[in-house]
Amino acid sequence: MKDWFNTLNPRERNLVTYGSLIAGLLILGLFIVQPLLDNNKKLTKIIDSKNTSLKIMQKQSAQVKQLQQQATKPEQTNNQNPQQIIEKALQTLRLKPALERMQSQGANGVNVVLKNANADRTMRLIANLENKFGLIISNLTINTHKKEAGLIDVRLTVKAD
């Protein structure tokens, strides 16, 4: 190979030298540098999408924390009688027609009896009384015997803190 190269005139030698140098750089660029650059672009896109997801999750996390704080703080009842609170909650959840009896038990307690009440609304009522208003359900009896689907009879005793 060296003999062949030495037999070339100086102009051809320069052409072969520069041509092989350019061919080497081209091969180096196509098979080593270009795949690295492509991989870098892919990884940059992945990082950008992960950063976007992270920002969204951070916002959602802040919202969840805020909702948790709101859920743990019962609504101020302004020293309302538990009976008044229950009355409003029954009206709000449209359970007033199912109310058979509401009997006061001292200043802080109320016995409530619901007949043929909507089960879903009744569960919301119980959750609201405990979580939203900070009342305590000390006794709860649910009867579904001989009822249509979705209807229940409920007896509960509610007490204020």
Side-chain angles (χ1 to χ4, degrees):
M1 185 85 161
K2 192 175 184 181
D3 290 335
W4 171 79
F5 185 73
N6 287 334
T7 59
L8 297 174
N9 64 27
R11 186 174 175 191
E12 290 174 340
R13 268 190 236 148
N14 286 338
L15 185 64
V16 169
T17 303
Y18 293 127
S20 58
L21 229 133
I22 291 173
L25 289 175
L26 191 63
I27 289 172
L28 180 74
L30 286 175
F31 293 110
I32 295 175
V33 175
Q34 190 63 40
L36 289 175
L37 291 175
D38 290 342
N39 198 19
N40 186 24
K41 285 181 185 178
K42 286 179 189 176
L43 292 175
T44 303
K45 286 181 183 179
I46 290 171
I47 290 171
D48 289 342
S49 70
K50 297 293 182 185
N51 282 336
T52 304
S53 297
L54 176 64
K55 288 177 184 176
I56 291 169
M57 287 182 193
Q58 286 173 336
K59 286 180 185 177
Q60 290 173 346
S61 174
Q63 289 174 344
V64 166
K65 286 178 183 175
Q66 185 180 16
L67 290 173
Q68 284 176 336
Q69 288 174 351
Q70 289 174 355
T72 57
K73 295 179 186 174
E75 213 175 84
Q76 291 293 332
T77 56
N78 296 329
N79 295 328
Q80 287 183 345
N81 185 338
Q83 199 164 352
Q84 293 172 329
I85 295 169
I86 294 168
E87 189 84 25
K88 286 180 184 178
L90 287 169
Q91 284 177 331
T92 303
L93 292 169
R94 297 180 307 213
L95 285 170
K96 192 79 170 171
L99 178 64
E100 184 173 282
R101 182 178 51 189
M102 186 181 320
Q103 181 179 1
S104 179
Q105 282 193 329
N108 293 335
V110 179
N111 271 340
V112 179
V113 178
L114 300 173
K115 292 284 183 180
N116 295 322
N118 180 291
D120 292 335
R121 290 183 192 157
T122 305
M123 291 303 118
R124 277 191 225 115
L125 170 72
I126 293 168
N128 285 347
L129 292 176
E130 287 188 337
N131 298 328
K132 190 174 179 184
F133 298 109
L135 299 175
I136 298 168
I137 309 296
S138 63
N139 189 11
L140 174 64
T141 306
I142 298 174
N143 184 3
T144 60
H145 187 65
K146 296 182 181 176
K147 296 286 175 198
E148 287 183 37
L151 297 180
I152 57 175
D153 291 343
V154 178
R155 290 178 172 266
L156 59 113
T157 304
V158 180
K159 293 186 179 179
D161 298 5

